[in-house]
Amino acid sequence: MKEVLKDLDKAFENRIRLGIMSALIVNESMDFNALKNLLGVTDGNLASHLKSLENSNYISYKKDFLGRKPNTNYSVTLSGRNAFIKHINAIEQLLK
């Protein structure tokens, strides 16, 4: 049991960050508004959780313009994918 618990990542304990990572794992990338609508959160709330995942190097972003409007797309990094899979596997082991 102790061995499984060490694989849980604190970065994914929050439901918003768990939702962000889940969405980005199954999609190549998502823009800010799509994530906001999917998760039903405010701009500020989403931005703070995205920043936390960026600081952990679990997601990356790319800024573009659609016409004159800025558009930020987020995607999961390799280290983020590996950490998230490890976290989910640990949860599955706990449930067995």
Side-chain angles (χ1 to χ4, degrees):
M1 174 88 148
K2 205 176 205 181
E3 195 65 26
V4 173
L5 291 176
K6 76 171 184 56
D7 288 338
L8 293 174
D9 193 323
K10 283 199 160 292
F12 309 128
E13 284 181 356
N14 181 280
R15 72 174 186 84
I16 305 299
R17 289 192 293 272
L18 187 66
I20 292 167
M21 289 301 291
S22 297
L24 293 179
I25 286 285
V26 298
N27 294 287
E28 187 175 321
S29 68
M30 290 184 77
D31 69 20
F32 186 90
N33 286 327
L35 284 168
K36 183 176 86 166
N37 292 332
L38 176 70
L39 300 170
V41 295
T42 64
D43 287 1
N45 194 355
L46 180 58
S48 67
H49 289 293
L50 288 167
K51 190 64 171 169
S52 174
L53 291 169
E54 287 172 38
N55 290 340
S56 298
N57 294 316
Y58 288 163
I59 64 170
S60 61
Y61 65 91
K62 182 180 177 196
K63 291 188 180 255
D64 290 316
F65 283 89
L66 295 175
R68 293 178 172 238
K69 292 186 176 188
N71 185 46
T72 306
N73 277 290
Y74 295 88
S75 58
V76 80
T77 63
L78 180 59
S79 63
R81 181 174 300 278
N82 292 337
F84 191 69
I85 290 169
K86 188 175 180 181
H87 181 78
I88 295 301
N89 287 338
I91 291 172
E92 288 175 348
Q93 290 301 313
L94 286 172
L95 295 174
K96 288 184 179 179

